[in-house]
Structures are given as structure tokens and as C-alpha cells.
Amino acid sequence: MTKKEKDRINRILSLLDENYGTEKRCYLNHENTWQLLFAVIMSAQCTDARVNIVTADLYKKYTSLEDFANVDLSELEEDIKSTGFYHNKAKNIKACASMLISEFGGEVPRDIESLTRLPGVGRKTANVIRGNVYDDPSIVVDTHVKRISRKLGLTTEEDPVKIEFDLMDKLPRDHWILWNIDIITLGRTICIANREKCDECFLRDECPSYGHKKGAVKASSKTPKAKA
């Protein structure tokens, strides 16, 4: 990474810090680690707002890992149906609860190897737990991080794992989990997919995508030459 690129990334991070602060924020409501884990599993292809609506009742009905491990699968499916893909999510949550009890003493593990052994847990979910619960520097690549990191020119990759390692290489460790938190906020409020408010964005002067847009508008505004 060149000094010029490193300086640009530092300016981006400074602007994010200035606008969003440096405190960690979690958008999924939870009171303990396994509740966050199950909420993240449910959040796949679903909004955090919808998951929070579902878990408000779900975590009153099921108050322990044993409750989830022993529940009838069809009942759990009905309980989380509005999150979508509920057959797989319910199956994974039930199996995950059983494994946490049988192999981890009812505790959610900390290391990524153990976390990704759990049913329904990939690197993204594991890194949410590591970064938000255990304060281990972790890059979480969700749809916002993938899209906006590419727009900002921090990666050209499409694969989430490759993007994760690109960002780990370019971002300082103290901003790894904050990158996900801040980019989610940016993606929901300003850099909205297909409805980007580029002129309102505090990162516009550091964003290659904005420069390309300005160039396209400038080029299209030129009066075409008359044909001979």
C-alpha cells in the first residue's frame, strides 16, 4: 500500500470518527452472547429491525440454551417465520444450541475456528461475536461493507472472505469492527444502494465513485458537435 493510499484511508477513518464517533454500537438487541449469536443467524437476508421485533418475544419465550435445544423444530420455525429462510435458520439455531451445551459448556466460544464449527455460523457471524463481545479485532463483511468498500476503492474483490483480508491489510486494527458499524450506518442513511446521496456524503471527496459520477455528468453536459 502506497503512502498516498494510506493517507487517504486515514482521512476516511478520521471523517467516520468525526461523524459517527468511536464507540461500538450493535444494532441487534441482546442481553447475552448466545442471544446475539442467534440474532445474527436470523439477520441473514433480513433487516435488523425485523429481527429485533422477533427476538423481543422470542427471548421471553425461550430463556435458555436448553429451551432452544429442546423446542419442537416446527414451533421454532413458526416463531421466527417473518425473518425469512426460517426452515434453515430454525434448524441451525436448534442445532447450535445443542452444540453449545454439549461441546462448549453452554458458552459461546471466542476463537474463529470454534465459532465457525457451529451450525449456521460463517466468518461474518463469527466476527460479529468476536468484535462486539470479545473485543477481538475483527472485520465483518456484510452487504453494506462489500458494496461501500468497493465504492471507496479499498477492494476490487467480490468474495466476502477476500474482501475481509483486503480490509485487514489496509485498515488499522483499532478500526476493524468500527468499519462495519460505521459503514452500516452510512449505507442505511446516505450511501443507500441504488439511491446514493453522494452530494450529501461527508466522504465524497475521498470516494472514487463520486469522482467518476462528477466526470460523467460533466462529460454529458457538453454540447455535442454538429455532424458535418
Side-chain angles (χ1 to χ4, degrees):
M1 183 167 55
T2 66
K3 183 179 185 303
K4 182 178 180 181
E5 185 178 16
K6 186 174 181 179
D7 288 344
R8 187 177 74 89
I9 289 171
N10 285 334
R11 290 195 299 271
I12 290 170
L13 295 177
S14 294
L15 287 165
L16 288 169
D17 289 349
E18 181 182 330
N19 283 271
Y20 296 141
T22 57
E23 293 295 319
K24 288 192 303 182
R25 308 176 299 282
C26 184
Y27 294 105
L28 291 166
N29 298 335
H30 63 283
E31 294 181 357
N32 57 51
T33 307
W34 62 258
Q35 285 186 352
L36 177 58
L37 178 63
F38 294 169
V40 178
I41 291 173
M42 283 183 275
S43 72
Q45 303 298 312
C46 182
T47 66
D48 291 349
R50 168 52 57 184
V51 172
N52 287 336
I53 291 171
V54 170
T55 56
D57 292 326
L58 190 72
Y59 292 155
K60 291 177 183 176
K61 182 176 181 180
Y62 307 107
T63 60
S64 68
L65 286 173
E66 287 76 12
D67 288 345
F68 279 99
N70 296 325
V71 66
D72 182 80
L73 187 59
S74 61
E75 183 177 357
L76 182 56
E77 288 177 346
E78 191 62 32
D79 290 330
I80 69 169
K81 190 172 185 177
S82 65
T83 67
F85 302 96
Y86 58 92
H87 293 300
N88 280 337
K89 291 179 182 180
K91 180 182 69 175
N92 286 332
I93 288 171
K94 180 176 169 66
C96 190
S98 296
M99 184 179 285
L100 288 173
I101 294 167
S102 64
E103 297 192 27
F104 297 101
E107 299 294 328
V108 177
R110 181 171 186 164
D111 64 286
I112 196 161
E113 291 80 11
S114 296
L115 281 164
T116 52
R117 284 181 54 217
L118 296 169
V121 177
R123 290 188 67 90
K124 185 191 86 168
T125 300
N127 282 328
V128 170
I129 298 300
R130 294 176 67 238
N132 284 281
V133 175
Y134 295 118
D135 289 323
D136 291 338
S138 306
I139 293 283
V140 179
V141 180
D142 61 10
T143 56
H144 294 293
V145 168
K146 176 180 178 178
R147 177 174 58 85
I148 296 176
S149 296
R150 284 171 55 83
K151 278 183 173 294
L152 288 169
L154 271 64
T155 183
T156 59
E157 300 290 348
E158 288 281 353
D159 180 74
V161 175
K162 291 181 179 179
I163 293 172
E164 178 187 341
F165 281 91
D166 267 356
L167 295 176
M168 287 169 67
D169 184 55
K170 293 179 179 178
L171 299 175
R173 290 169 68 89
D174 62 353
H175 275 75
W176 282 5
I177 195 65
L178 279 173
W179 183 258
N180 173 251
I181 294 167
D182 291 347
I183 296 303
I184 285 177
T185 304
L186 185 72
R188 289 176 175 174
T189 57
I190 297 174
C191 193
I192 305 165
N194 301 316
R195 293 186 289 118
E196 296 92 344
K197 305 174 184 177
C198 295
D199 289 333
E200 299 177 21
C201 185
F202 55 86
L203 294 180
R204 62 184 179 274
D205 291 336
E206 304 296 341
C207 181
S209 296
Y210 182 66
H212 294 159
K213 283 188 177 183
K214 286 199 300 182
V217 170
K218 186 175 180 180
S220 65
S221 66
K222 293 180 179 178
T223 304
K225 293 181 179 180
K227 291 183 179 180

